[in-house]
Amino acid sequence: MFKFASLLALASLIPAFVQAQQPLYAQCGGTDWTGATTCVSGATCQEVNEYYFQCLPGTASSTPATTTTPATTQPGSTTTSGTGSPTTTTTPSTDNPYTGYNVWLTPYYADEVQTAAGQISDATLKAKALKVADIPTFTWFDVVAKVPTLGTYLADAQSKQQSSGQKQLVQIVVYDLPDRDCAALASNGEFSIANDGLNKYKDYIDQIVAQVKQYPDVRVVAVIEPDSLANLVTNLNVSKCSGAQTAYKSGVVYALQQLNSVGVYMYIDAGHAGWLGWSANLSPAAELFAQIYSDAGKPSFVRGLATNVANYNALSASSPDPITQGNSNYDELHYIDALAPMLSSAGFPAHFIVDQGRSGVQDIRDQWGDWCNVKGAGFGTRPTTNTGSSLIDAIVWVKPGGECDGTSNSSATRYDAHCGQSDALQPAPEAGTWFQAYFEALVSNASPSL
Ligand code: BGC
């Protein structure tokens, strides 16, 4: 009786306790949110996006707040003024950006893989295929229309980070330069230089930056513009490439500067051993990367280079593929070891990530330059920071295996002859769309096996 009376007395004294208060960093609002909308003392409920309000440090009074200015920043970074862009000054970690982070799984690829597995009748192959949904790949922002999904991905990564306590890293590919894919046809993009493409590209970058800025506590790693600068090293004899030279350089410089302002760790694409790894190309490549880096003001979040993106080379081949004859840099490790000292002396940070997503099987190409849906390929080494080289931050899967490299339909506008060669699997759909037969082959040929 006495206990009951005292509890009643206590409850009448502290009515605020009737409504729960959310702890620091918990959700406190957003579309369909039905939980508490107030935060513990010292924290304020702030709108991160329309779906997610969060208790962030601070004592502003309105609940929920409507500001979209984040109150926290990337580890090692601080947000400064609130006007214009960029507004964030940042200090990157000097360590491998992958260390200590869980690489977030993109639902885009997981959905593709699960749908594909659903079409496989062989139970053993199907079980193997399903495992691919748990292997992290990069998400390609190959058209500006996809950029809004980046916000939903970052929100998901942020909420996983908060619920698990495990820091999350989201991997993206920035891939929308005007006059894209200048030496090939299969991946011609949506912007053309003649039609104000450089400004449209800058807007695309701005949209990415705006998304990233809203999730300052989620780490983002980006591969910058596959093939673009490599084409400027070796393919200026192709008129589309020489015509694109200025726009590619300005576009990449702009991307580096703007993404740097919101703390995105960047690896610029550097082709592969069979492209820039030839001795005549190494030094011009190092010079170009260093020049672009310097033109951008040496952005501190540029971590290094990405190699072998969407290609098939081994990191470390047990023996040289005969097609590599004449190039002592017959695999990615040899290429990286040869390029790194040149980069360092040119003042460019010599760190690397290497795509091994489709490198499981070697010696499958007729020529080293063959890049389109090469027959016999298998999924390769799983993503890891255990790379065996202090120059290599991580083995990654950049190309989402199963997405096509280019159509084999010779009457299509984006038909490239590489996709019609005898070592290319056919019939193949348009670049970037799902290629079921290719995916199934990657699964069954995977090495290590799935
Ligand atoms: C295609 C892109 C696609 C990417 C990843 C490229 O070859 O052009 O559309 O997003 O591959 O699959």
Side-chain angles (χ1 to χ4, degrees):
M1 182 64 186
F2 171 77
K3 274 184 186 168
F4 181 63
S6 61
L7 276 177
L8 274 181
L10 195 62
S12 65
L13 282 173
I14 45 172
F17 276 18
V18 172
Q19 189 187 14
Q21 290 185 311
Q22 293 294 86
L24 190 61
Y25 298 116
Q27 185 170 0
C28 55
T31 310
D32 297 333
W33 173 249
T34 54
T37 56
T38 57
C39 303
V40 290
S41 170
T44 311
C45 188
Q46 298 190 32
E47 180 182 341
V48 174
N49 58 48
E50 66 184 290
Y51 307 103
Y52 198 85
F53 287 59
Q54 187 183 20
C55 291
L56 294 171
T59 53
S61 54
S62 62
T63 303
T66 51
T67 174
T68 53
T69 307
T72 56
T73 60
Q74 288 266 5
S77 64
T78 52
T79 299
T80 56
S81 80
T83 53
S85 72
T87 57
T88 308
T89 54
T90 49
T91 312
S93 158
T94 52
D95 294 337
N96 179 352
Y98 281 84
T99 303
Y101 279 74
N102 180 63
V103 182
W104 179 79
L105 284 168
T106 163
Y108 186 88
Y109 187 57
D111 284 353
E112 286 180 324
V113 166
Q114 275 151 7
T115 306
Q119 292 170 37
I120 298 175
S121 45
D122 179 275
T124 312
L125 192 65
K126 183 187 200 124
K128 289 182 177 186
L130 281 169
K131 291 185 186 171
V132 178
D134 294 328
I135 301 171
T137 62
F138 279 66
T139 304
W140 292 57
F141 290 90
D142 58 335
V143 285
V144 67
K146 285 186 184 168
V147 175
T149 58
L150 177 57
T152 61
Y153 296 164
L154 295 172
D156 183 61
Q158 182 182 57
S159 97
K160 288 202 167 69
Q161 181 160 287
Q162 284 154 2
S163 59
S164 67
Q166 173 67 57
K167 291 184 285 185
Q168 303 289 317
L169 183 158
V170 172
Q171 303 181 121
I172 65 171
V173 178
V174 173
Y175 189 54
D176 209 10
L177 277 172
D179 287 17
R180 192 175 72 193
D181 208 17
C182 65
L185 294 166
S187 288
N188 274 351
E190 62 183 340
F191 299 148
S192 75
I193 294 167
N195 188 18
D196 202 27
L198 183 56
N199 282 324
K200 290 176 180 165
Y201 181 71
K202 288 181 177 175
D203 177 62
Y204 156 85
I205 295 294
D206 292 348
Q207 290 191 38
I208 294 176
V209 166
Q211 299 286 352
V212 173
K213 202 173 183 175
Q214 293 184 60
Y215 303 92
D217 51 346
V218 175
R219 181 164 287 189
V220 180
V221 164
V223 166
I224 306 297
E225 294 296 344
D227 297 350
S228 60
L229 298 183
N231 271 320
L232 300 189
V233 176
T234 66
N235 290 326
L236 289 178
N237 58 322
V238 177
S239 66
K240 188 176 171 192
C241 292
S242 55
Q245 182 168 205
T246 310
Y248 277 15
K249 286 180 178 173
S250 312
V252 171
V253 164
Y254 187 80
L256 300 183
Q257 290 173 331
Q258 299 304 312
L259 294 167
N260 188 69
S261 76
V262 287
V264 173
Y265 287 83
M266 290 170 276
Y267 296 88
I268 303 171
D269 185 84
H272 61 91
W275 188 350
L276 302 184
W278 293 89
S279 60
N281 298 337
L282 286 165
S283 170
E287 292 301 326
L288 180 60
F289 293 126
Q291 185 63 52
I292 295 286
Y293 177 63
S294 164
D295 290 350
K298 305 198 172 181
S300 52
F301 280 89
V302 172
R303 173 73 184 170
L305 300 175
T307 80
N308 201 46
V309 169
N311 211 273
Y312 305 85
N313 297 336
L315 175 59
S316 185
S318 50
S319 61
D321 184 332
I323 58 168
T324 68
Q325 203 180 6
N327 185 348
S328 57
N329 298 318
Y330 58 83
D331 59 24
E332 295 305 296
L333 192 54
H334 282 85
Y335 168 42
I336 285 166
D337 284 344
L339 185 61
M342 297 182 188
L343 292 170
S344 298
S345 61
F348 185 91
H351 304 285
F352 298 83
I353 54 174
V354 183
D355 190 356
Q356 289 290 283
R358 305 191 301 182
S359 295
V361 184
Q362 291 300 299
D363 302 359
I364 52 176
R365 286 168 284 188
D366 294 342
Q367 294 177 58
W368 206 357
D370 294 351
W371 49 264
C372 194
N373 305 319
V374 174
K375 278 185 202 164
F379 283 117
T381 308
R382 311 298 182 258
T384 178
T385 52
N386 188 9
T387 66
S389 165
S390 59
L391 293 169
I392 304 175
D393 288 341
I395 290 169
V396 289
W397 286 17
V398 183
K399 175 79 185 182
E403 291 184 7
C404 191
D405 295 318
T407 179
S408 61
N409 173 1
S410 59
S411 58
T413 314
R414 299 204 305 173
Y415 173 70
D416 187 287
H418 284 95
C419 305
Q421 285 175 184
S422 57
D423 60 356
L425 192 66
Q426 298 165 48
E430 282 284 344
T433 62
W434 195 254
F435 189 0
Q436 179 74 13
Y438 202 75
F439 172 73
E440 291 182 20
L442 286 170
V443 172
S444 61
N445 298 333
S447 178
S449 80
L450 284 156

